[in-house]
Each structure stands twice: as structure tokens, then as C-alpha cells.
Amino acid sequence: MIPFICKYCGKDTSEVDYDYLNGYDHLSCALESDNKVHADDYDHCVLCGVETAYKRSTHIDMRHGYIEGAGQLCPNCYSRGTEHGAIAVDYNTILGTPNDMELGAKVRQLYWENKK
């Protein structure tokens, strides 16, 4: 019989539900070990892959260019992503337009009028 022993903590894992295992190891032990190994590594931009100035251990509140749910962006990708132009559409135009196709045409017309 194969011993069910976690190589990280040395405890028996034979009674642990398989959803909480990584092979024969506790999932929590494996994740904790992985985090310790990579804590001093630098994060990479999630868009272009370039190494950023922030370590993985740096809290997200202390970073510039971090987007929750997405990850760390390099300064170039972050600035490119925030260069979006915007136009304001009066809410009366939105509420007073009977269907989406006509609203789209009005928004497009406003865009070209503001572009001049």
C-alpha cells in the first residue's frame, strides 16, 4: 500500500477528501510552499509578459497598474489601457430613443460631430 503522507508537513492524508489534495500532499501545504518559493520573484505584465518593478509579495495597495481580477500591468500597457476617449450622451437622448438601433445611430452621429 502507498503511504498517504504530505511531503510538506509529514502528516497522514489518507482521510482527507481528494478535493483538498495535490497528489498525496495537502493542497494548502503545496500552495503555501509555492507562495514562499515565488514571493521574491517579480510579477510579470499580464498583457505583454514583461517583468514589472513589483515583487509578488508586494501588497496590491502599494502597486501602480494592478487591476483586481486581472493582475499586474507594466506602465506601458497600463497607460495604453487608460487612453480611452469618451463622449457624453445626454440621458434624455438615451431614454427618448425608442430602440437600440436608433440610439446607436444617434451616438455615432454625436461621435462624428465631436470629432470635428
Side-chain angles (χ1 to χ4, degrees):
M1 179 173 160
I2 301 173
F4 292 89
I5 304 294
C6 176
K7 68 181 175 186
Y8 300 102
C9 68
K11 295 181 181 174
D12 179 37
T13 60
S14 61
E15 299 294 320
V16 177
D17 191 287
Y18 74 94
D19 288 339
Y20 299 100
L21 293 176
N22 180 24
Y24 297 117
D25 306 321
H26 295 109
L27 182 59
S28 60
C29 292
L31 290 172
E32 185 178 323
S33 173
D34 188 46
N35 284 340
K36 286 180 183 175
V37 169
H38 298 292
D40 288 334
D41 290 350
Y42 284 90
D43 250 344
H44 289 81
C45 177
V46 294
L47 290 179
C48 69
V50 70
E51 189 175 271
T52 66
Y54 301 102
K55 291 185 177 184
R56 290 183 66 185
S57 59
T58 305
H59 193 276
I60 62 172
D61 289 342
M62 304 304 290
R63 299 175 180 214
H64 179 72
Y66 187 88
I67 299 175
E68 289 189 56
Q72 184 66 47
L73 296 173
C74 67
N76 187 30
C77 290
Y78 185 74
S79 66
R80 237 182 321 136
T82 56
E83 291 176 359
H84 299 292
I87 61 170
V89 179
D90 183 30
Y91 71 92
N92 289 321
T93 302
I94 296 170
L95 296 175
T97 305
N99 64 48
D100 291 342
M101 191 166 84
E102 288 181 32
L103 179 60
K106 287 182 180 180
V107 170
R108 186 170 286 111
Q109 180 183 0
L110 285 170
Y111 170 79
W112 287 112
E113 287 173 359
N114 288 323
K115 200 72 165 156
K116 296 175 183 177

